[in-house]
Amino acid sequence: MKRTFELIAPCHFGLEAVLKKEILDLGYEISLVEDGRVTFIGDEEAVCRANVFLRTAERVLLKVGSFEARTFEELFQGTREIPWEEYIPQDGKFWVAKASSIKSKLFSPSDIQSIMKKAMVERMKGHYNVTWFPEDGASFPLRVFLYKDVVTVGIDTSGDSLHKRGYRTLTAKAPITETLAAALILLTPWNRDRILVDPFCGSGTFPIEAAMMAANMAPGMNRSFLAEDWKSLVPRKFWYEVMDEANELVERDVKVDIQGYDIDGDIVKAARANAAQAGVDHMIHFQERPVSALSHPKKYGFVISNPPYGERLEDKASLPALYREIGERYRALDAWSMYLITSYEDAEKYIGRKADKNRKIYNGMLKTYFYQFMGPRPPRRNQEN
């Protein structure tokens, strides 16, 4: 009989709605949406499917408990009340990998980590009737959130962050993460029938993520996850079944027009290598090319990009000219839409057009702006002839 869990999927602040839709599309019930994470209901198979199929989640946590704690004694007792023996075997390796605290009386991560580890040991010593744990088996790292004195505890099922798809071995400076790139594409109306150009492609993240979407390629199908070793909690058969599902859904012969340009020839070579690693190099045209050469003869395409915003340019004084050029080249395109993520606060001013939408997204501690310049939609095909 399958077990039912609450699963927590953290994401970038400001992109909760995108992740929520992804989870609903997978067929799971949402139980809570908070800043930076979405909680949903699922079984053992859901642990596997969420890790393999979610494009915008940073990781998947198995929620094991939640309680109030204003003192370290309350933290200890609340942690000890969690039935750890239902999740962690006697030889399991367990520790609090990360603790964060917002608006709570307990705020020292190192103290929180130490006290919770002691409480887990005390609980499990009584259940397993031992005084020492070898911790040489599968890993069960905890991630703990304190918000207004409420402690939420989850076991990390993913291991490496889910942005690590396994294809990006070569990167440009300050690369956009795969999860953030995927989320931004999903915020646009782009689909595989429409042109997509990234004139600042760097290591190729936007074009590669778009190509994977177009080919219906699951982002996690070429990597491993911590919970694969949790044989008593998530039977290995579920991982095999989900990987089979992912492989069956791939459409390798889909035809698309996805292009990536960069002024740095070495970076373009790196982008091609990353695309080959992802299995989508045949779907993307990469070229060494400046933004001043941005053009396309067809209508209704998309520019989706992460232009330089100062940290990647020695001279910030050149940014106004660069963003003016972006605006000029965009206006020269016929009925296109443009979506830019940047931390350059004057981007809109120098592009020369007010964005239809401007969304603030927190990429780590860095506040960024997602400018959306939306062009007209193409006519229905039966109206074109």
Side-chain angles (χ1 to χ4, degrees):
M1 183 177 177
K2 289 185 178 180
R3 298 175 64 178
T4 300
F5 304 117
E6 268 197 296
L7 302 171
I8 303 170
C11 64
H12 287 281
F13 282 80
L15 297 175
E16 298 83 3
V18 182
L19 176 55
K20 176 183 175 181
K21 184 179 185 303
E22 274 203 285
I23 293 168
L24 290 172
D25 288 346
L26 279 181
Y28 300 115
E29 175 190 350
I30 304 291
S31 58
L32 184 64
V33 178
E34 303 169 277
D35 287 344
R37 61 183 186 265
V38 180
T39 304
F40 61 104
I41 309 300
D43 54 18
E44 299 99 322
E45 185 182 53
V47 172
C48 309
R49 297 187 76 233
N51 273 296
V52 172
F53 287 106
L54 290 179
R55 298 185 188 278
T56 63
E58 293 303 308
R59 59 186 68 248
V60 179
L61 309 177
L62 194 161
K63 183 178 176 181
V64 294
S66 184
F67 56 89
E68 290 189 8
R70 294 176 177 81
T71 67
F72 285 122
E73 178 62 22
E74 289 176 344
L75 179 66
F76 183 92
Q77 295 300 337
T79 303
R80 193 167 66 172
E81 287 298 311
I82 295 172
W84 295 107
E85 65 278 0
E86 294 182 9
Y87 306 100
I88 303 174
Q90 187 172 334
D91 67 345
K93 181 181 180 182
F94 56 96
W95 73 102
V96 181
K98 184 176 182 181
S100 62
S101 178
I102 300 174
K103 299 179 180 178
S104 299
K105 290 183 173 60
L106 303 179
F107 57 84
S108 168
S110 60
D111 289 335
I112 292 167
Q113 290 167 310
S114 175
I115 287 167
M116 292 187 70
K117 171 75 175 191
K118 290 177 183 176
M120 294 172 71
V121 170
E122 285 300 307
R123 168 83 186 205
M124 294 171 65
K125 277 166 61 176
H127 177 80
Y128 289 117
N129 195 28
V130 298
T131 58
W132 177 79
F133 293 95
E135 297 197 52
D136 56 3
S139 294
F140 295 82
L142 270 65
R143 291 195 167 238
V144 180
F145 312 95
L146 280 77
Y147 180 68
K148 292 184 177 179
D149 301 317
V150 175
V151 183
T152 302
V153 187
I155 307 176
D156 183 9
T157 73
S158 304
D160 286 337
S161 172
L162 294 182
H163 82 266
K164 295 185 177 180
R165 317 288 206 214
Y167 66 74
R168 196 164 71 178
T169 55
L170 300 167
T171 64
K173 293 180 181 178
I176 190 169
T177 65
E178 294 86 335
T179 46
L180 180 55
L184 297 180
I185 295 170
L186 290 172
L187 278 172
T188 78
W190 178 82
N191 62 64
R192 64 188 189 182
D193 294 327
R194 309 282 291 275
I195 306 156
L196 188 154
V197 176
D198 180 357
F200 301 94
C201 72
S203 53
T205 310
F206 272 125
I208 293 170
E209 289 294 318
M212 290 176 69
M213 291 179 193
N216 210 14
M217 188 178 292
M221 63 187 296
N222 292 315
R223 56 160 286 174
S224 59
F225 308 94
L226 265 188
E228 291 180 51
D229 293 326
W230 299 359
K231 298 180 179 64
S232 61
L233 197 59
V234 184
R236 186 61 67 90
K237 71 170 186 173
F238 291 118
W239 292 105
Y240 294 143
E241 290 171 358
V242 170
M243 286 299 184
D244 286 343
E245 177 189 1
N247 278 293
E248 289 169 4
L249 289 171
V250 176
E251 302 173 51
R252 300 188 186 278
D253 58 351
V254 64
K255 303 297 183 184
V256 292
D257 187 347
I258 298 174
Q259 302 178 28
Y261 309 145
D262 201 282
I263 199 169
D264 187 329
D266 290 335
I267 289 298
V268 171
K269 291 177 183 176
R272 289 194 186 105
N274 290 338
Q277 187 70 21
V280 295
D281 51 316
H282 63 290
M283 300 172 63
I284 307 169
H285 173 68
F286 287 110
Q287 186 177 354
E288 181 181 345
R289 188 174 180 184
V291 68
S292 59
L294 173 61
S295 65
H296 201 289
K298 294 185 179 179
K299 299 176 67 171
Y300 308 117
F302 284 71
V303 173
I304 304 179
S305 194
N306 176 210
Y309 48 84
E311 281 75 1
R312 292 188 292 178
L313 289 178
E314 291 183 4
D315 186 3
K316 289 189 177 183
S318 64
L319 288 177
L322 175 65
Y323 279 80
R324 283 194 194 97
E325 194 158 50
I326 292 172
E328 290 170 3
R329 297 317 306 155
Y330 169 59
R331 288 189 292 275
L333 295 165
D334 191 353
W336 279 49
S337 299
M338 182 167 69
Y339 300 83
L340 303 178
I341 182 169
T342 178
S343 292
Y344 183 48
E345 295 184 1
D346 292 329
E348 203 172 17
K349 171 184 174 182
Y350 291 109
I351 285 171
R353 175 183 158 182
K354 185 173 178 58
D356 298 289
K357 291 183 180 180
N358 176 10
R359 179 187 295 258
K360 291 181 182 178
I361 297 166
Y362 287 83
N363 182 12
M365 298 301 293
L366 182 67
K367 182 170 65 174
T368 58
Y369 304 91
F370 186 49
Y371 295 105
Q372 304 176 60
F373 303 88
M374 292 174 283
R377 294 189 176 187
R380 294 174 184 265
R381 290 188 176 180
N382 61 358
Q383 296 175 346
E384 291 179 350
N385 299 323

